[in-house]
mmCIF file of all heavy atoms in Angstrom:
data_model
loop_
_atom_site.group_PDB
_atom_site.id
_atom_site.type_symbol
_atom_site.label_atom_id
_atom_site.label_comp_id
_atom_site.label_asym_id
_atom_site.label_seq_id
_atom_site.Cartn_x
_atom_site.Cartn_y
_atom_site.Cartn_z
ATOM 1 N N GLN A 197 7.736 2.482 24.640
ATOM 2 C CA GLN A 197 7.754 1.093 24.176
ATOM 3 C C GLN A 197 7.139 0.970 22.786
ATOM 4 O O GLN A 197 7.643 0.238 21.928
ATOM 5 C CB GLN A 197 6.977 0.222 25.175
ATOM 6 C CG GLN A 197 6.938 -1.252 24.837
ATOM 7 C CD GLN A 197 8.196 -1.972 25.284
ATOM 8 O OE1 GLN A 197 9.066 -1.389 25.921
ATOM 9 N NE2 GLN A 197 8.302 -3.222 24.940
ATOM 10 N N GLU A 198 6.034 1.718 22.547
ATOM 11 C CA GLU A 198 5.399 1.670 21.231
ATOM 12 C C GLU A 198 6.303 2.298 20.166
ATOM 13 O O GLU A 198 6.366 1.813 19.043
ATOM 14 C CB GLU A 198 4.034 2.384 21.273
ATOM 15 C CG GLU A 198 2.988 1.726 22.171
ATOM 16 C CD GLU A 198 2.499 0.376 21.622
ATOM 17 O OE1 GLU A 198 2.974 -0.073 20.561
ATOM 18 O OE2 GLU A 198 1.648 -0.254 22.283
ATOM 19 N N PHE A 199 6.975 3.386 20.536
ATOM 20 C CA PHE A 199 7.941 3.974 19.604
ATOM 21 C C PHE A 199 9.040 2.956 19.278
ATOM 22 O O PHE A 199 9.448 2.796 18.132
ATOM 23 C CB PHE A 199 8.566 5.246 20.200
ATOM 24 C CG PHE A 199 7.827 6.494 19.848
ATOM 25 C CD1 PHE A 199 6.605 6.779 20.436
ATOM 26 C CD2 PHE A 199 8.332 7.395 18.930
ATOM 27 C CE1 PHE A 199 5.910 7.938 20.116
ATOM 28 C CE2 PHE A 199 7.652 8.562 18.600
ATOM 29 C CZ PHE A 199 6.435 8.832 19.200
ATOM 30 N N ASP A 200 9.517 2.277 20.319
ATOM 31 C CA ASP A 200 10.574 1.285 20.110
ATOM 32 C C ASP A 200 10.106 0.177 19.177
ATOM 33 O O ASP A 200 10.861 -0.283 18.310
ATOM 34 C CB ASP A 200 11.010 0.685 21.449
ATOM 35 C CG ASP A 200 11.839 1.652 22.269
ATOM 36 O OD1 ASP A 200 12.266 2.680 21.704
ATOM 37 O OD2 ASP A 200 12.057 1.395 23.457
ATOM 38 N N ARG A 201 8.852 -0.251 19.364
ATOM 39 C CA ARG A 201 8.333 -1.333 18.512
ATOM 40 C C ARG A 201 8.287 -0.897 17.048
ATOM 41 O O ARG A 201 8.357 -1.714 16.147
ATOM 42 C CB ARG A 201 6.924 -1.736 18.984
ATOM 43 C CG ARG A 201 6.911 -2.554 20.251
ATOM 44 C CD ARG A 201 5.570 -3.266 20.446
ATOM 45 N NE ARG A 201 5.587 -4.104 21.631
ATOM 46 C CZ ARG A 201 5.056 -3.756 22.801
ATOM 47 N NH1 ARG A 201 4.450 -2.582 22.915
ATOM 48 N NH2 ARG A 201 5.124 -4.560 23.837
ATOM 49 N N CYS A 202 8.124 0.403 16.853
ATOM 50 C CA CYS A 202 8.101 0.940 15.481
ATOM 51 C C CYS A 202 9.502 1.329 15.021
ATOM 52 O O CYS A 202 9.641 1.968 13.965
ATOM 53 C CB CYS A 202 7.171 2.160 15.415
ATOM 54 S SG CYS A 202 5.456 1.798 15.833
ATOM 55 N N SER A 203 10.487 0.995 15.839
ATOM 56 C CA SER A 203 11.883 1.390 15.546
ATOM 57 C C SER A 203 11.991 2.889 15.332
ATOM 58 O O SER A 203 12.756 3.354 14.478
ATOM 59 C CB SER A 203 12.410 0.646 14.314
ATOM 60 O OG SER A 203 12.361 -0.736 14.536
ATOM 61 N N ALA A 204 11.205 3.613 16.087
ATOM 62 C CA ALA A 204 11.204 5.076 15.976
ATOM 63 C C ALA A 204 11.790 5.685 17.244
ATOM 64 O O ALA A 204 11.771 5.073 18.318
ATOM 65 C CB ALA A 204 9.785 5.590 15.778
ATOM 66 N N GLN A 205 12.329 6.857 17.089
ATOM 67 C CA GLN A 205 12.931 7.568 18.213
ATOM 68 C C GLN A 205 12.012 8.730 18.594
ATOM 69 O O GLN A 205 11.589 9.494 17.734
ATOM 70 C CB GLN A 205 14.302 8.119 17.804
ATOM 71 C CG GLN A 205 15.015 8.913 18.884
ATOM 72 C CD GLN A 205 15.698 7.999 19.900
ATOM 73 O OE1 GLN A 205 16.271 6.994 19.543
ATOM 74 N NE2 GLN A 205 15.627 8.359 21.163
ATOM 75 N N MET A 206 11.694 8.830 19.869
ATOM 76 C CA MET A 206 10.904 9.994 20.295
ATOM 77 C C MET A 206 11.757 11.249 20.135
ATOM 78 O O MET A 206 12.954 11.231 20.443
ATOM 79 C CB MET A 206 10.449 9.839 21.742
ATOM 80 C CG MET A 206 9.262 8.903 21.891
ATOM 81 S SD MET A 206 8.337 9.166 23.419
ATOM 82 C CE MET A 206 9.390 8.390 24.590
ATOM 83 N N PRO A 207 11.157 12.332 19.661
ATOM 84 C CA PRO A 207 11.933 13.563 19.468
ATOM 85 C C PRO A 207 12.654 13.981 20.746
ATOM 86 O O PRO A 207 12.102 13.859 21.843
ATOM 87 C CB PRO A 207 10.861 14.583 19.083
ATOM 88 C CG PRO A 207 9.796 13.760 18.434
ATOM 89 C CD PRO A 207 9.777 12.466 19.202
ATOM 90 N N GLU A 208 13.859 14.472 20.587
ATOM 91 C CA GLU A 208 14.670 14.835 21.752
ATOM 92 C C GLU A 208 14.101 16.011 22.520
ATOM 93 O O GLU A 208 14.424 16.206 23.692
ATOM 94 C CB GLU A 208 16.098 15.148 21.296
ATOM 95 C CG GLU A 208 16.843 13.919 20.803
ATOM 96 C CD GLU A 208 18.290 14.257 20.462
ATOM 97 O OE1 GLU A 208 18.731 15.371 20.783
ATOM 98 O OE2 GLU A 208 18.956 13.394 19.866
ATOM 99 N N ASP A 209 13.253 16.805 21.849
ATOM 100 C CA ASP A 209 12.700 17.976 22.539
ATOM 101 C C ASP A 209 11.340 17.679 23.179
ATOM 102 O O ASP A 209 10.601 18.583 23.509
ATOM 103 C CB ASP A 209 12.602 19.169 21.582
ATOM 104 C CG ASP A 209 11.832 18.834 20.322
ATOM 105 O OD1 ASP A 209 11.357 17.688 20.193
ATOM 106 O OD2 ASP A 209 11.713 19.724 19.460
ATOM 107 N N TRP A 210 11.035 16.411 23.331
ATOM 108 C CA TRP A 210 9.856 16.027 24.105
ATOM 109 C C TRP A 210 10.277 15.801 25.555
ATOM 110 O O TRP A 210 11.217 15.053 25.839
ATOM 111 C CB TRP A 210 9.228 14.752 23.558
ATOM 112 C CG TRP A 210 8.442 14.932 22.299
ATOM 113 C CD1 TRP A 210 8.424 16.035 21.483
ATOM 114 C CD2 TRP A 210 7.579 13.969 21.681
ATOM 115 N NE1 TRP A 210 7.607 15.817 20.408
ATOM 116 C CE2 TRP A 210 7.077 14.567 20.501
ATOM 117 C CE3 TRP A 210 7.183 12.685 21.999
ATOM 118 C CZ2 TRP A 210 6.200 13.900 19.648
ATOM 119 C CZ3 TRP A 210 6.318 12.012 21.151
ATOM 120 C CH2 TRP A 210 5.820 12.621 19.997
ATOM 121 N N LEU A 211 9.550 16.419 26.464
ATOM 122 C CA LEU A 211 9.806 16.250 27.892
ATOM 123 C C LEU A 211 8.547 15.706 28.559
ATOM 124 O O LEU A 211 7.442 16.052 28.165
ATOM 125 C CB LEU A 211 10.197 17.593 28.528
ATOM 126 C CG LEU A 211 11.394 18.320 27.924
ATOM 127 C CD1 LEU A 211 11.549 19.693 28.573
ATOM 128 C CD2 LEU A 211 12.661 17.502 28.087
ATOM 129 N N PHE A 212 8.733 14.872 29.553
ATOM 130 C CA PHE A 212 7.595 14.281 30.254
ATOM 131 C C PHE A 212 7.556 14.748 31.710
ATOM 132 O O PHE A 212 8.564 14.691 32.410
ATOM 133 C CB PHE A 212 7.665 12.753 30.198
ATOM 134 C CG PHE A 212 7.348 12.196 28.848
ATOM 135 C CD1 PHE A 212 8.357 11.995 27.910
ATOM 136 C CD2 PHE A 212 6.045 11.917 28.481
ATOM 137 C CE1 PHE A 212 8.076 11.502 26.648
ATOM 138 C CE2 PHE A 212 5.748 11.419 27.224
ATOM 139 C CZ PHE A 212 6.754 11.217 26.305
ATOM 140 N N VAL A 213 6.388 15.195 32.123
ATOM 141 C CA VAL A 213 6.185 15.624 33.508
ATOM 142 C C VAL A 213 5.147 14.712 34.142
ATOM 143 O O VAL A 213 4.095 14.446 33.560
ATOM 144 C CB VAL A 213 5.710 17.088 33.570
ATOM 145 C CG1 VAL A 213 5.259 17.449 34.968
ATOM 146 C CG2 VAL A 213 6.836 18.021 33.126
ATOM 147 N N ASP A 214 5.455 14.234 35.324
ATOM 148 C CA ASP A 214 4.555 13.339 36.056
ATOM 149 C C ASP A 214 3.747 14.167 37.055
ATOM 150 O O ASP A 214 4.294 14.665 38.051
ATOM 151 C CB ASP A 214 5.385 12.266 36.769
ATOM 152 C CG ASP A 214 4.513 11.178 37.377
ATOM 153 O OD1 ASP A 214 3.300 11.418 37.563
ATOM 154 O OD2 ASP A 214 5.040 10.099 37.659
ATOM 155 N N SER A 215 2.456 14.290 36.815
ATOM 156 C CA SER A 215 1.620 15.093 37.714
ATOM 157 C C SER A 215 1.482 14.445 39.087
ATOM 158 O O SER A 215 1.202 15.123 40.073
ATOM 159 C CB SER A 215 0.236 15.319 37.098
ATOM 160 O OG SER A 215 -0.390 14.087 36.820
ATOM 161 N N LEU A 216 1.704 13.131 39.143
ATOM 162 C CA LEU A 216 1.658 12.466 40.452
ATOM 163 C C LEU A 216 2.803 12.953 41.330
ATOM 164 O O LEU A 216 2.641 13.187 42.524
ATOM 165 C CB LEU A 216 1.728 10.950 40.270
ATOM 166 C CG LEU A 216 1.792 10.102 41.546
ATOM 167 C CD1 LEU A 216 0.568 10.352 42.416
ATOM 168 C CD2 LEU A 216 1.902 8.628 41.215
ATOM 169 N N ARG A 217 3.969 13.118 40.731
ATOM 170 C CA ARG A 217 5.121 13.639 41.486
ATOM 171 C C ARG A 217 4.841 15.055 41.970
ATOM 172 O O ARG A 217 5.230 15.426 43.091
ATOM 173 C CB ARG A 217 6.371 13.624 40.609
ATOM 174 C CG ARG A 217 7.009 12.260 40.472
ATOM 175 C CD ARG A 217 8.106 12.296 39.433
ATOM 176 N NE ARG A 217 9.242 13.099 39.851
ATOM 177 C CZ ARG A 217 10.318 12.615 40.460
ATOM 178 N NH1 ARG A 217 10.383 11.341 40.732
ATOM 179 N NH2 ARG A 217 11.309 13.384 40.795
ATOM 180 N N LEU A 218 4.200 15.835 41.125
ATOM 181 C CA LEU A 218 3.857 17.200 41.542
ATOM 182 C C LEU A 218 2.861 17.161 42.697
ATOM 183 O O LEU A 218 2.984 17.915 43.662
ATOM 184 C CB LEU A 218 3.258 17.975 40.361
ATOM 185 C CG LEU A 218 4.166 18.211 39.155
ATOM 186 C CD1 LEU A 218 3.416 18.993 38.079
ATOM 187 C CD2 LEU A 218 5.424 18.971 39.561
ATOM 188 N N ALA A 219 1.893 16.254 42.591
ATOM 189 C CA ALA A 219 0.850 16.170 43.623
ATOM 190 C C ALA A 219 1.438 15.797 44.978
ATOM 191 O O ALA A 219 0.928 16.200 46.026
ATOM 192 C CB ALA A 219 -0.209 15.152 43.195
ATOM 193 N N ARG A 220 2.524 15.036 44.955
ATOM 194 C CA ARG A 220 3.154 14.635 46.223
ATOM 195 C C ARG A 220 3.789 15.830 46.931
ATOM 196 O O ARG A 220 4.110 15.754 48.116
ATOM 197 C CB ARG A 220 4.208 13.560 45.963
ATOM 198 C CG ARG A 220 3.612 12.220 45.605
ATOM 199 C CD ARG A 220 4.623 11.091 45.781
ATOM 200 N NE ARG A 220 3.989 9.807 45.526
ATOM 201 C CZ ARG A 220 4.212 9.058 44.454
ATOM 202 N NH1 ARG A 220 5.077 9.463 43.549
ATOM 203 N NH2 ARG A 220 3.593 7.921 44.284
ATOM 204 N N LYS A 221 3.975 16.912 46.204
ATOM 205 C CA LYS A 221 4.563 18.107 46.818
ATOM 206 C C LYS A 221 3.511 19.003 47.443
ATOM 207 O O LYS A 221 3.858 19.998 48.101
ATOM 208 C CB LYS A 221 5.351 18.891 45.761
ATOM 209 C CG LYS A 221 6.535 18.116 45.204
ATOM 210 C CD LYS A 221 7.336 18.936 44.227
ATOM 211 C CE LYS A 221 8.542 18.130 43.752
ATOM 212 N NZ LYS A 221 9.422 18.892 42.869
ATOM 213 N N LEU A 222 2.257 18.666 47.224
ATOM 214 C CA LEU A 222 1.179 19.457 47.832
ATOM 215 C C LEU A 222 1.145 19.198 49.337
ATOM 216 O O LEU A 222 1.570 18.133 49.799
ATOM 217 C CB LEU A 222 -0.163 19.058 47.216
ATOM 218 C CG LEU A 222 -0.356 19.382 45.741
ATOM 219 C CD1 LEU A 222 -1.618 18.698 45.211
ATOM 220 C CD2 LEU A 222 -0.445 20.890 45.519
ATOM 221 N N PRO A 223 0.648 20.159 50.104
ATOM 222 C CA PRO A 223 0.495 19.930 51.542
ATOM 223 C C PRO A 223 -0.385 18.700 51.800
ATOM 224 O O PRO A 223 -1.401 18.520 51.133
ATOM 225 C CB PRO A 223 -0.188 21.206 52.028
ATOM 226 C CG PRO A 223 0.101 22.231 50.997
ATOM 227 C CD PRO A 223 0.203 21.492 49.698
ATOM 228 N N LYS A 224 0.045 17.873 52.729
ATOM 229 C CA LYS A 224 -0.720 16.658 53.014
ATOM 230 C C LYS A 224 -2.005 16.976 53.764
ATOM 231 O O LYS A 224 -2.022 17.835 54.645
ATOM 232 C CB LYS A 224 0.139 15.685 53.820
ATOM 233 C CG LYS A 224 1.245 15.052 52.994
ATOM 234 C CD LYS A 224 2.037 14.042 53.785
ATOM 235 C CE LYS A 224 3.011 13.294 52.880
ATOM 236 N NZ LYS A 224 3.852 14.189 52.072
ATOM 237 N N LEU A 225 -3.050 16.257 53.400
ATOM 238 C CA LEU A 225 -4.331 16.415 54.066
ATOM 239 C C LEU A 225 -4.517 15.266 55.055
ATOM 240 O O LEU A 225 -3.992 14.171 54.845
ATOM 241 C CB LEU A 225 -5.466 16.398 53.038
ATOM 242 C CG LEU A 225 -5.482 17.515 52.000
ATOM 243 C CD1 LEU A 225 -6.649 17.314 51.038
ATOM 244 C CD2 LEU A 225 -5.571 18.882 52.662
ATOM 245 N N PRO A 226 -5.268 15.507 56.137
ATOM 246 C CA PRO A 226 -5.558 14.402 57.060
ATOM 247 C C PRO A 226 -6.431 13.358 56.374
ATOM 248 O O PRO A 226 -7.189 13.676 55.454
ATOM 249 C CB PRO A 226 -6.296 15.093 58.199
ATOM 250 C CG PRO A 226 -6.836 16.355 57.610
ATOM 251 C CD PRO A 226 -5.856 16.771 56.558
ATOM 252 N N LYS A 227 -6.310 12.128 56.831
ATOM 253 C CA LYS A 227 -7.117 11.050 56.243
ATOM 254 C C LYS A 227 -8.600 11.332 56.461
ATOM 255 O O LYS A 227 -9.010 11.820 57.517
ATOM 256 C CB LYS A 227 -6.741 9.699 56.865
ATOM 257 C CG LYS A 227 -5.388 9.195 56.409
ATOM 258 C CD LYS A 227 -5.157 7.770 56.861
ATOM 259 C CE LYS A 227 -3.819 7.262 56.332
ATOM 260 N NZ LYS A 227 -3.541 5.873 56.703
ATOM 261 N N SER A 228 -9.374 11.006 55.438
ATOM 262 C CA SER A 228 -10.813 11.239 55.536
ATOM 263 C C SER A 228 -11.553 10.081 54.885
ATOM 264 O O SER A 228 -10.986 9.306 54.120
ATOM 265 C CB SER A 228 -11.187 12.545 54.837
ATOM 266 O OG SER A 228 -11.026 12.412 53.440
ATOM 267 N N ASP A 229 -12.841 9.987 55.197
ATOM 268 C CA ASP A 229 -13.661 8.911 54.631
ATOM 269 C C ASP A 229 -13.787 9.040 53.119
ATOM 270 O O ASP A 229 -13.948 8.045 52.409
ATOM 271 C CB ASP A 229 -15.062 8.928 55.265
ATOM 272 C CG ASP A 229 -15.000 8.571 56.743
ATOM 273 O OD1 ASP A 229 -13.992 7.952 57.139
ATOM 274 O OD2 ASP A 229 -15.926 8.922 57.479
ATOM 275 N N GLU A 230 -13.744 10.277 52.624
ATOM 276 C CA GLU A 230 -13.904 10.487 51.176
ATOM 277 C C GLU A 230 -12.581 10.310 50.424
ATOM 278 O O GLU A 230 -12.534 10.498 49.214
ATOM 279 C CB GLU A 230 -14.476 11.871 50.907
ATOM 280 C CG GLU A 230 -15.889 12.031 51.431
ATOM 281 C CD GLU A 230 -16.498 13.338 50.985
ATOM 282 O OE1 GLU A 230 -15.762 14.181 50.439
ATOM 283 O OE2 GLU A 230 -17.707 13.504 51.202
#
Side-chain angles (χ1 to χ4, degrees):
Chain A
Q197 181 82 5
E198 295 291 1
F199 269 73
D200 286 348
R201 285 197 177 100
C202 299
S203 301
Q205 178 80 40
M206 282 201 283
E208 291 184 10
D209 54 1
W210 284 12
L211 304 174
F212 287 90
V213 170
D214 189 341
S215 58
L216 176 59
R217 282 172 68 94
L218 297 180
R220 288 198 176 108
K221 297 183 177 184
L222 294 169
K224 288 183 172 52
L225 297 178
K227 288 189 177 181
S228 69
D229 293 339
E230 294 188 350

